[in-house]
Amino acid sequence: QKEVEQNSGPLSVPEGAIASLNCTYSDRVSQSFFWYRQYSGKSPELIMSIYSNGDKEDGRFTAQLNKASQYVSLLIRDSQPSDSATYLCAVIGDSGGSNYKLTFGKGTLLTVNP
Amino acid sequence: GAVVSQHPSRVICKSGTSVKIECRSLDFQATTMFWYRQFPKQSLMLMATSNEGSKATYEQGVEKDKFLINHASLTLSTLTVTSAHPEDSSFYICSARDFGNNEKLFFGSGTQLSVL
């Protein structure tokens, strides 16, 4: 059973702080990793994708991947109240092939307090 | 980014009726679409993979006769919940791969199904 684990939270940070979201996965051969943001009642929105070890930065967001530890994280700098949402970690369990099936974690609820 | 259109956004129906949900890729062709279901405060669970011109592939535990999937064109997949019951009430979300955009997966806006 391929699993993606996240701390469900809620994670509460003050406005302007750094929010750190963590995710671990069980399938060692996983190749592709994604962070999605989901507002209540809405569908997920892709925030970041990362495929190789190390850091990947995009604006206020930084994704970090450590395949040896089977760990992926998302840092949000200068957190804003509008960042308040559930953040879903998603993993493709194999090389992707023709299916591209994502396995999602349960998500971490982030609240940014003004 | 690529746009995936899903409708209706909300459906309320009586128990025993069938409900059809449409998923369209608006600016790209999608040979593969995915259907997910999400219960409150739970993660997205993949129900089935919809392949254009062939039968859908269902995940374990998903009844193919209850959740009918048709992917007749490169831009349209439909999910029909047949003889819906209250336990089928959920948030249904489709997604599609855009081969022209690093094969990224884009989601439709979701359909909230409530079966009375």
Side-chain angles (χ1 to χ4, degrees), chain A:
Chain A
Q1 179 85 13
K2 300 173 183 176
E3 294 182 350
V4 178
E5 298 288 341
Q6 291 181 256
N7 187 331
S8 61
L11 174 64
S12 183
V13 301
E15 184 174 355
I18 296 175
S20 178
L21 304 161
N22 304 315
C23 171
T24 58
Y25 57 95
S26 64
D27 190 350
R28 186 167 286 279
V29 300
S30 298
Q31 297 293 322
S32 305
F33 308 86
F34 305 87
W35 283 99
Y36 286 85
R37 177 175 62 196
Q38 186 177 26
Y39 293 110
S40 180
K42 303 295 184 182
S43 65
E45 171 192 9
L46 181 65
I47 298 295
M48 292 280 286
S49 58
I50 187 166
Y51 306 98
S52 55
N53 282 327
D55 295 359
K56 179 181 178 183
E57 186 174 321
D58 183 1
R60 296 187 295 113
F61 299 97
T62 299
Q64 299 174 318
L65 175 61
N66 184 325
K67 290 186 179 180
S69 301
Q70 296 176 228
Y71 173 90
V72 59
S73 66
L74 179 70
L75 299 177
I76 306 175
R77 290 182 299 281
D78 189 22
S79 296
Q80 301 297 309
S82 59
D83 294 328
S84 299
T86 296
Y87 288 80
L88 301 169
C89 173
V91 175
I92 293 181
D94 54 22
S95 63
S98 60
N99 280 335
Y100 206 82
K101 292 198 295 187
L102 285 172
T103 299
F104 284 88
K106 290 187 176 181
T108 298
L109 176 62
L110 172 66
T111 300
V112 181
N113 301 306

Side-chain angles (χ1 to χ4, degrees), chain B residues 33-100:
Chain B
M33 292 186 176
F34 302 91
W35 288 96
Y36 290 86
R37 179 167 55 182
Q38 187 178 34
F39 292 106
K41 299 191 184 302
Q42 298 294 315
S43 189
L44 281 76
M45 296 301 295
L46 180 65
M47 298 176 66
T49 302
S50 172
N51 303 299
E52 187 268 335
S54 64
K55 291 182 179 180
T57 303
Y58 290 81
E59 296 300 302
Q60 190 174 9
V62 178
E63 300 175 56
K64 62 179 66 177
D65 293 331
K66 181 169 184 63
F67 299 99
L68 301 179
I69 291 173
N70 183 284
H71 194 156
S73 78
L74 287 170
T75 60
L76 174 64
S77 176
T78 61
L79 168 67
T80 301
V81 183
T82 62
S83 187
H85 288 92
E87 58 265 30
D88 298 322
S89 299
S90 186
F91 191 51
Y92 292 84
I93 311 173
C94 72
S95 64
R97 289 175 69 187
D98 182 0
F99 283 92

Side-chain angles (χ1 to χ4, degrees), chain B residues 10-30:
Chain B
R10 179 176 289 273
V11 179
I12 301 173
C13 68
K14 293 182 179 180
S15 183
T17 60
S18 294
V19 175
K20 179 186 282 189
I21 303 170
E22 291 190 351
C23 180
R24 294 179 185 272
S25 56
L26 296 185
D27 53 1
F28 65 100
Q29 293 183 330

